[in-house]
Amino acid sequence: MSHLSFIKESINAKLISPSGEAVEKIIEIRTHPITGRTCRIAISRMGQSEPGTDAFPEPPPDARNAAHCPFCRPRVESETPRLFHGLSPDGRLTYGDSILFPNLFPYGRYSAVSLFDNAHFVELGTALLPSYTGCFINCRNYLGQVLTHDPRAVYMAITQNHLPSAGGSLIHPHLQINADRIPANHHRFLKERTGAYFQQTGRHLFSDYVNHEKNDGSRYIGKTGNWEWMTAFAPEGFYEIWGILPGVTSLRTREDQVWKDLSDGVLNAQKFYRSLCRNGYNLGILSIETPSSHAELRVVLIVRSNYAAWVRNDHTGFELMLGDMTTFTLPEDTAALARPFWE
Ligand SMILES: [Zn+2]
């Protein structure tokens, strides 16, 4: 039996349409089973297409101009910083085609950048599996070095901002890695929530979440290895997809196959997003590297506004000021559209 609540309720807004007809428009309010936060699905906007998504956008202006990119070789050797000796005697970590080095503008005590390879611009949905697998393994190796050096830096994250509309400052594809002694808000919340859930039930929160979603089936998408993929019940962004690795709480000690399977699912999601003519997205995986952590690994992927001229931002006054994400697609419809990319 699941102790998680999947609550949806519909409300109606009455109005007189421009043609003079009395109509009622439906808004579905969903409560997030893990955070308790509400989100809204504006059903009446479902048929409306977002401006700038009728075709896949043109590449950004810098896509063909790598002359000044600090991440392209050979400039990456001279224009990016090096890790201090306690973390790596070589100054950079490499794995396959991936190179990892510190973030020149750090966001935390251990803040690094991991390049996939020397390709300066990669359109969403066209990346190759070995580039993602190697880059994730490079991140894993770095986080292992961090924890050996500083056992208190247990709050870890791997993130991606693909294109400037998702927060990316350089279009050359890369992941960001962060580790700190001080938790971010989501680390703090996940630690408390997964710990309390384990105390109450003796079970792991995300494992129960996956079991619920597999039994329900309406948002479940598929598997890649042991990773289970589904759309978020109460999305905090457009076309939000989760991959959960049940029973695993550490980013550090996993065999390489886990990262290949993760990359498989991430690339499936990217191809799905491309099919929707979206070119920007964010990805994130968090971990709390303590033996007592009950926070299992979960990767979250969210489509962002297209990086194209005059496309509106996806966070409006409603999201920023009221705190409820409003999306225009039912997660069950998103799952139906995404499933073919996992077959
Ligand atoms: Zn480049």
Side-chain angles (χ1 to χ4, degrees), residues 72-289:
C72 275
R73 290 164 207 174
R75 275 181 307 281
V76 67
E77 302 287 343
S78 56
E79 293 191 17
T80 60
R82 292 173 166 269
L83 299 162
F84 61 87
H85 272 272
L87 282 184
S88 161
D90 300 329
R92 297 193 176 92
L93 297 182
T94 57
Y95 189 97
D97 288 330
S98 173
I99 302 180
L100 182 149
F101 45 86
N103 194 330
L104 191 55
F105 308 106
Y107 287 69
R109 188 180 281 256
Y110 305 97
S111 190
V113 169
S114 187
L115 306 182
F116 294 96
D117 51 33
N118 197 37
H120 174 66
F121 176 65
V122 180
E123 269 191 356
L124 194 62
T126 65
L128 299 175
L129 184 62
S131 71
Y132 268 72
T133 307
C135 197
F136 276 126
I137 291 173
N138 216 5
C139 297
R140 186 245 352 235
N141 293 347
Y142 169 73
L143 291 171
Q145 296 285 87
V146 167
L147 209 67
T148 305
H149 172 77
D150 184 352
R152 287 169 61 201
V154 297
Y155 300 102
M156 298 187 166
I158 300 172
T159 56
Q160 185 178 14
N161 310 323
H162 187 76
L163 297 194
S165 64
S169 45
L170 289 171
I171 62 165
H172 193 125
H174 58 280
L175 299 175
Q176 296 91 27
I177 311 98
N178 203 77
D180 225 310
R181 297 177 179 180
I182 299 170
N185 285 313
H186 289 343
H187 282 120
R188 191 180 307 113
F189 173 81
L190 277 176
K191 186 180 179 182
E192 286 169 13
R193 178 77 170 100
T194 57
Y197 191 86
F198 188 80
Q199 289 268 306
Q200 277 165 19
T201 65
R203 294 200 308 273
H204 284 97
L205 177 72
F206 283 120
S207 287
D208 273 12
Y209 190 97
V210 168
N211 288 336
H212 177 279
E213 289 301 80
K214 286 185 90 165
N215 287 333
D216 176 281
S218 61
R219 289 169 296 276
Y220 183 72
I221 297 174
K223 262 173 102 79
T224 57
N226 293 328
W227 289 88
E228 304 274 10
W229 299 87
M230 65 219 78
T231 53
F233 170 78
E236 303 256 19
F238 284 92
Y239 302 102
E240 183 173 338
I241 290 176
W242 291 7
I244 293 174
L245 186 61
V248 176
T249 56
S250 173
L251 279 172
R252 290 178 303 130
T253 55
R254 307 315 306 162
E255 61 269 35
D256 292 356
Q257 186 65 34
V258 163
W259 299 100
K260 182 171 176 285
D261 295 336
L262 169 66
S263 303
D264 235 339
V266 167
L267 296 185
N268 290 346
Q270 290 186 5
K271 287 173 189 151
F272 166 52
Y273 291 162
R274 182 184 182 83
S275 78
L276 302 170
C277 295
R278 305 301 181 122
N279 69 351
Y281 89 108
N282 289 111
L283 166 155
I285 316 175
L286 274 57
S287 80
I288 302 157
E289 299 286 336

